[in-house]
Amino acid sequence: MRIASGFWIACGGFALALAACGGTDGDVLRVRSGDAELRARVEPETPRVGENALLLELVDADGKPLAGAVVRVRVHMHAMGAMPAMGGPAAVREEGPGRYRADFDLGMGGTWQVEIEIEPPGARTLRAEGSLTTGRPGLHLAAVGGDAGDAAKVAEAAPEHAAHGEAEHPGEFQMDPGRLQQVGVRLAKVERKQLETRVRAAGLVAAEEATLSDVALRVKGWIGEIDVDAVGNPVQRGQILFRVYSPELYGAQEELLQALRSQQRAQDAGGEGRSDYLVRAARNRLKLFGLAPADLAAIEQRGEPQEHLPIRSPVAGYVIEKNVSQGSAFEPGQRLYRIAPLSRVWVEAEVYELEMAAVAPGQRAQIELPSLPGRSFEAKVAYVFPTLDPATRTVRVRLELPNPALELRPGMQANVQLFVDRGERLLVPQSALLEAGTRTFVFRSLGDGRFRPQQVETGMRSGEEVELLSGLEAGDEIVASGTFLIASESRLRAALERW
């Protein structure tokens, strides 16, 4: 019996083509996982160049056939030098209840890799890897994946076989621990940790819309002298922006002065009443036209109307828009100036459609600006726009930032990273992964300097760590650095079997 990652392979009724089990009577391998058992043998018994088959039988714990399983078999040979990879998926069909046949063709002599994956109905998936060699009887096969607790139980049941030293996996090998230390091979354990991924986006600094103030008048007229004459100029609350001439403003001033004179005559005569009402109405009309209280008091004190009245800034900030020039006419409601305080700003980033599901208000973000090298700013997502830009296939995301030193200016480019908490995941160092075409491997440490290549399925990446979806369990020990050296040793061992 051979222990392999929670499954077991046993000799029962037939001789196996494994060093642990001898014999010559029809090589059959048995792989058990939970309540299901797989029996496998190759036909013909000695693989040949050309047509071959794997005969598979799937039964439950009571020996009853398990029909309707999803069976996948792949027989292939890795690329070597100028020779491309060969082989691929085998044609699998169910020949009877729980009996399956996988037909494949071997294009040349040598050792071919075998991968089996079976999904029994209502049972745990079985996976096994191994090899077969043309001209050499039998099938090498070792189960992969599974639960370490099951492996421990099988070891207790058959300790004499669990201690056997011969490797069953064609890529398994052993290195002297001293040499491992000399060449810098470092091991690490598969760990379950919090995973935080990043969504990167490009953005622009913008003025905070909630604090913008527009300067517009409720009358029509002409622009006179301009005091604040350029975009970007700082202004204080109450500072004069420009002066205007308007017949309506001039007439309203005359009405106020006439009402004041009538009020004065009424007071001199010892009467009150309607004159007071007319004064209040004339004052309110000028205020509604946008005249500041200080300028209104100056008119009353001077006693005569002004042709050009001053228009003042309603807030302190910076001019970000100016639509006036001396002598130009304007209409009621026309925006003449736009002023932004800039003590707080927005950064609006564009997130691609494929990543927008990971973005939500309240997420932590980091902002860097090319114009401020070496600086970064922390922020949170304040709002995710509900619409998608059909031209760029992006969604706008708004972040809010304090700007006390006025370093962030509207229009600046920004590089944004949004941090997404993915919860607890199974993680390994990225340096442990070895890409082989469409497949990914790590090298699992079996102790005493022994290593075995293990195919894994990866998920999300964060910095120097990668999520594992399948292939290993928490606590498994793998090669974290020196992976290419270990891979070279593994390939050499597999290649020697072909000689």
Side-chain angles (χ1 to χ4, degrees):
M1 185 175 295
R2 170 69 180 172
I3 306 305
S5 304
F7 300 127
W8 58 272
I9 297 176
C11 309
F14 299 92
L16 305 186
L18 296 172
C21 305
T24 60
D25 188 20
D27 295 343
V28 174
L29 300 180
R30 298 187 182 189
V31 179
R32 179 176 293 173
S33 174
D35 295 331
E37 179 182 281
L38 170 68
R39 301 165 185 171
R41 67 182 178 88
V42 64
E43 185 183 87
E45 181 181 342
T46 300
R48 64 194 175 192
V49 175
E51 295 180 354
N52 297 266
L54 281 177
L55 303 182
L56 310 175
E57 184 179 2
L58 188 64
V59 298
D60 62 15
D62 298 326
K64 296 180 181 179
L66 287 174
V70 178
V71 180
R72 303 181 187 90
V73 177
R74 189 168 184 266
V75 182
H76 64 101
M77 183 181 289
H78 294 300
M80 293 182 292
M83 186 188 79
M86 302 177 66
V92 180
R93 67 177 185 272
E94 187 170 2
E95 293 192 318
R99 292 187 291 110
Y100 305 86
R101 180 186 179 95
D103 292 297
F104 56 92
D105 191 83
L106 302 181
M108 62 175 290
T111 299
W112 292 73
Q113 308 302 307
V114 178
E115 299 172 5
I116 301 175
E117 181 179 84
I118 300 181
E119 298 178 12
R124 185 165 43 181
T125 300
L126 287 81
R127 294 184 180 89
E129 293 181 1
S131 65
L132 53 84
T133 304
T134 56
R136 185 178 300 175
L139 171 68
H140 293 262
L141 202 61
V144 296
D147 181 75
D150 292 342
K153 294 175 183 177
V154 176
E156 292 173 1
E160 68 282 4
H161 296 297
H164 199 284
E166 182 69 21
E168 293 173 353
H169 194 285
E172 187 176 316
F173 67 98
Q174 186 170 19
M175 287 183 67
D176 181 77
R179 186 183 173 201
L180 291 173
Q181 187 174 7
Q182 288 176 351
V183 298
V185 174
R186 180 175 59 85
L187 303 181
K189 287 189 176 182
V190 180
E191 295 182 281
R192 189 170 292 279
K193 299 190 296 185
Q194 289 294 123
L195 176 64
E196 186 179 64
T197 59
R198 301 182 183 188
V199 174
R200 300 179 186 273
L204 289 175
V205 178
E208 188 177 20
E209 291 182 7
T211 62
L212 296 179
S213 291
D214 288 341
V215 177
L217 301 180
R218 295 180 175 88
V219 296
K220 67 178 181 178
W222 288 262
I223 303 296
E225 183 180 352
I226 298 175
D227 290 57
V228 180
D229 57 0
V231 172
N233 283 359
V235 295
Q236 299 298 321
R237 181 182 178 90
Q239 180 179 340
I240 296 175
L241 299 174
F242 58 94
R243 290 170 172 80
V244 299
Y245 168 73
S246 169
E248 290 180 75
L249 288 175
Y250 193 85
Q253 292 178 77
E254 289 185 324
E255 288 179 9
L256 172 62
L257 295 175
Q258 181 63 38
L260 287 171
R261 286 193 286 269
S262 298
Q263 183 186 53
Q264 185 63 45
R265 286 196 296 270
Q267 290 175 352
D268 292 343
E272 296 181 4
R274 189 168 184 275
S275 59
D276 294 337
Y277 166 78
L278 292 175
V279 170
R280 287 195 301 272
R283 283 174 178 165
N284 286 336
R285 187 182 183 195
L286 284 170
K287 288 179 181 179
L288 291 174
F289 282 157
L291 202 64
D295 298 319
L296 184 59
I299 294 170
E300 294 180 7
Q301 186 176 4
R302 187 179 296 109
E304 60 182 21
Q306 292 181 254
E307 287 189 0
H308 289 84
L309 288 175
I311 303 300
R312 301 175 184 272
S313 173
V315 295
Y318 293 82
V319 176
I320 62 172
E321 189 176 330
K322 169 180 169 289
N323 300 312
V324 299
S325 57
Q326 191 165 351
S328 62
F330 60 87
E331 295 294 326
Q334 180 182 342
R335 185 165 68 208
L336 305 178
Y337 279 77
R338 171 164 280 186
I339 300 170
L342 299 184
S343 58
R344 291 182 61 84
V345 294
W346 289 349
V347 173
E348 293 189 338
E350 302 286 337
V351 175
Y352 285 109
E353 181 179 5
L354 293 176
E355 298 177 310
M356 67 181 185
V359 179
Q363 281 178 333
R364 185 170 67 90
Q366 187 179 67
I367 300 169
E368 296 179 350
L369 295 93
S371 55
L372 297 173
R375 298 284 306 281
S376 64
F377 300 85
E378 295 292 325
K380 287 188 177 181
V381 175
Y383 185 68
V384 179
F385 282 72
T387 56
L388 180 77
D389 188 328
T392 61
R393 310 306 302 175
T394 58
V395 172
R396 267 198 302 166
V397 175
R398 179 188 300 156
L399 305 114
E400 298 178 352
L401 280 174
N403 189 31
L406 301 178
E407 298 174 294
L408 307 177
R409 304 182 182 188
M412 280 183 169
Q413 290 184 333
N415 298 319
V416 179
Q417 294 186 76
L418 305 174
F419 297 92
V420 184
D421 185 1
R422 303 288 187 174
E424 198 174 71
R425 303 294 176 101
L426 205 62
L427 301 179
V428 296
Q430 186 169 342
S431 59
L433 301 179
L434 185 67
E435 306 289 341
T438 59
R439 301 188 300 163
T440 303
F441 291 86
V442 298
F443 283 91
R444 183 177 178 183
S445 172
L446 304 178
D448 298 325
R450 300 189 68 83
F451 299 94
R452 171 183 292 173
Q454 173 70 54
Q455 184 175 349
V456 295
E457 183 181 357
T458 59
M460 294 175 288
R461 301 184 179 228
S462 177
E464 298 300 319
E465 294 185 309
V466 182
E467 177 192 11
L468 281 189
L469 300 178
S470 65
L472 292 172
E473 300 290 340
D476 289 344
E477 197 167 38
I478 59 172
V479 175
S481 65
T483 308
F484 286 100
L485 171 65
I486 299 297
S488 299
E489 293 282 349
S490 179
R491 289 193 185 100
L492 178 60
R493 167 167 171 81
L496 287 174
E497 291 194 5
R498 301 188 179 100
W499 294 4

